[in-house]
């Protein structure tokens, strides 16, 4: 499957038209997705109608992009992987990122599976279907944007959008072997993204190469009057960072991210990637992010508190699946929510309601906000010494389907290296950096995480591309 850049050159030379590219994608989906289960739906006619009108001179002219099923695209379903929304809801409007993608000439094509309301790390919490890792179909693709990662790995998409509240772009990108970038909070509009935790959520690109991530980021970033947290600053030219050298760049290695709990093979692969950065002229510097040990607890208080508030809107009156047998309004809310939400979503609503309730607010929510401040300060201080931070994305490679689904705590711990990025509001990216042996000759991808200063996505693209060019993992991937 081509990259965005390949596709653009084939369009320009006249070797391929957008309609042909979309039809060939649909063929790949029809032959491969029965096994992978990454798409929830796609509308070929709508995409072909858009392809017929598209202006090929635009930066993403005619490029089909798969969309996580939490991002509204006018006229299409938006289930969020939930039984609550898989009926009686069609998006009445385009999300901010979709309007921007269309303005850049891209064609939203296909809705990708996800953990219900983006709560999870394996896509197993989808109430609608199982998604398998294309590298080893007995394993999870990562989550919550597991569908968006799997479609790239399975050659069922050129690029995709995901959303990341605590790692949901970077972790599936790492486990399925693609590039995933979580922009700085405020860089990309959240308008039309079904909210999970509003102070943490960001939409970002999932692509085959770093160069492609720069192209998609350029298209989706920037101010949107519908999201007051989206900043107004002028955007840099992200592609200009691709190809810059990294000589003398200081790369921080947080000692807490290379400690106990990290799989030995993953460590070996990530260490080798860091050596590679060194051989490109970067200077590794050991740093400390001392509040890392509190990140999981802090995240699961703040994210659940915000989720309990955000998910209150699903009352089955305005939209979604409605319980049939209720006698009165209150009963209708109760029954619809009890039937519509899955177990993990209920667990989070209960936790979130608890930590916000009177008497517990000060002990949990307020305390977590204070620790969040300390976590942010750790990064501010680290970035006084280094330009970027490098680490693993996930402590293990892709695990088996069912391995952790009955153990929420084990699942939460899988996010230990990604959650702090969102709590601090900074940017992060996962770049493929090699493989572990896996089983039965099915090797498993590993991701290198790069973290940058607020609004310094350009630095991530610069380092990520220099690394990618030197190693060429994307050719293997
Ligand atoms: N895995 C984390 C969670 O379950 C992060 C999810 C996300 O980033 N959407 O909350």
């Amino acid at each position: 499957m081509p990259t965005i850049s390949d596709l653009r050159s084939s369009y320009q030379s006249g070797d391929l038209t957008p309609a042909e590219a979309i039809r060939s994608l649909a063929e790949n989906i029809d032959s491969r997705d029965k096994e992978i289960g990454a798409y929830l739906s796609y509308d070929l006619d709508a995409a072909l109608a858009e392809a017929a009108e598209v202006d090929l001179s635009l930066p993403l002219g005619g490029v089909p992009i798969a969309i996580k099923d939490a991002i509204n695209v006018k006229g299409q379903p938006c289930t969020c992987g939930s039984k609550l929304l898989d009926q009686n809801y069609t998006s009445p409007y385009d999300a901010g990122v979709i309007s921007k993608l269309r303005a850049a000439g891209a064609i939203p094509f296909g809705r990708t599976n996800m953990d219900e309301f983006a709560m999870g790390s394996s896509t197993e919490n989808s109430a609608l279907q199982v998604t398998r890792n294309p590298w080893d179909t007995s394993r999870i693709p990562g989550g919550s944007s597991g569908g968006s990662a799997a479609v790239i790995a399975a050659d069922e998409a050129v690029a995709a959008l995901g959303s990341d509240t605590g790692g949901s772009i970077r972790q599936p990108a790492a486990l399925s072997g693609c590039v995933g970038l979580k922009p700085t909070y405020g860089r990309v509009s959240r308008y039309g993204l079904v909210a999970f935790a509003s102070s943490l959520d960001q939409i970002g690109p999932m692509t085959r190469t770093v160069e492609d991530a720069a192209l998609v980021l350029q298209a989706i970033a920037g101010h949107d009057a519908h999201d007051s947290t989206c900043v107004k600053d002028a955007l840099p030219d992200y592609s200009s960072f691709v190809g810059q050298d990294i000589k003398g760049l200081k790369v921080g290695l947080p000692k807490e991210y290379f400690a106990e709990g990290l799989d030995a093979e993953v460590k070996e692969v990530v260490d080798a990637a860091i050596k590679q950065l060194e051989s490109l002229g970067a200077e590794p510097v050991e740093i400390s992010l001392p509040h890392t040990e509190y990140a999981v607890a802090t995240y699961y208080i703040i994210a659940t508190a915000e989720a309990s508030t955000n998910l209150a809107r699903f009352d089955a009156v305005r939209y979604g699946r409605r319980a049939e047998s209720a006698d009165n309004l209150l009963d209708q809310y109760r029954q619809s929510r009890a039937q519509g939400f899955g177990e993990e979503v209920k667990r989070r609503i209960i936790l979130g309601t608890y930590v916000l309730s009177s008497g517990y607010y000060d002990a949990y929510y307020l305390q977590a906000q204070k620790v969040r401040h300390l976590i942010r300060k750790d990064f501010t201080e680290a970035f006084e010494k280094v330009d970027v931070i490098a680490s693993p994305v996930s402590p293990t490679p892709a695990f088996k389907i069912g391995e952790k689904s009955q153990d929420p705590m084990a699942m939460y711990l899988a996010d230990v290296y990604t959650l702090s990025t969102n709590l601090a509001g900074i940017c992060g990216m996962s770049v493929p950096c090699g493989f572990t042996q896996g089983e039965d000759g099915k090797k498993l991808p590993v991701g290198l995480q790069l973290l940058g200063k607020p609004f310094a996505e350009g630095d991530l693209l610069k380092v990520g591309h220099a690394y990618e060019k030197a190693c060429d993992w994307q050719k293997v991937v």
Side-chain angles (χ1 to χ4, degrees), residues 256-257 287-295 371-386 389 420 424 426:
E256 296 81 2
Y257 285 41
I287 56 163
S288 173
L289 299 169
H291 296 92
T292 299
E293 63 175 305
Y294 306 110
V371 182
R372 179 178 190 172
H373 176 77
L374 295 174
I375 290 173
R376 192 177 293 147
K377 199 158 142 273
D378 282 355
F379 282 101
T380 310
E381 286 169 8
F383 283 129
E384 280 162 13
K385 297 186 214 109
V386 298
I389 293 172
S420 300
I426 60 174

Side-chain angles (χ1 to χ4, degrees), residues 29 33 37-42 66 109-113 129 151 156-157:
I29 297 171
D33 210 49
Y39 278 105
L40 291 170
S41 59
Y42 70 81
F109 180 55
R111 315 281 312 163
T112 60
N113 196 23
Q129 69 194 34
V151 292
E156 299 178 34

Side-chain angles (χ1 to χ4, degrees), residues 68 117-121 143-144 163-169 196 201 299-300 303 344 348 411-412 415 419 422:
K68 183 176 185 177
F117 289 104
M119 298 173 184
S121 312
S144 65
S163 67
D164 191 313
T165 305
S168 280
I169 290 177
F196 164 9
D201 298 340
Y299 171 86
Y300 279 94
E344 182 61 26
R348 305 231 183 165
M411 195 73 95
Y412 297 172
D415 302 324
L419 301 172
N422 303 66

Side-chain angles (χ1 to χ4, degrees), residues 122 124 136-140 397-405 439-440 442:
S122 67
E124 289 167 291
D136 176 347
T137 52
S138 69
R139 294 176 187 267
I140 57 108
F399 44 88
K400 294 266 186 193
I401 292 173
E403 191 179 322
K404 296 191 183 172
S405 50
E439 280 173 354
D440 307 326
K442 291 173 188 152

Side-chain angles (χ1 to χ4, degrees), residues 246-269:
I246 60 167
K247 279 198 192 72
L249 192 108
K250 290 200 171 66
V251 179
L253 307 175
K255 62 175 194 244
E256 296 81 2
Y257 285 41
F258 291 86
E260 206 195 317
L262 176 59
D263 175 271
E265 256 187 298
V266 171
K267 180 169 187 308
E268 213 174 288
V269 171

Side-chain angles (χ1 to χ4, degrees), residues 128-152:
L128 307 179
Q129 69 194 34
V130 174
T131 299
R132 295 173 183 280
N133 191 316
W135 292 90
D136 176 347
T137 52
S138 69
R139 294 176 187 267
I140 57 108
S144 65
S145 314
S148 288
V151 292
I152 295 172

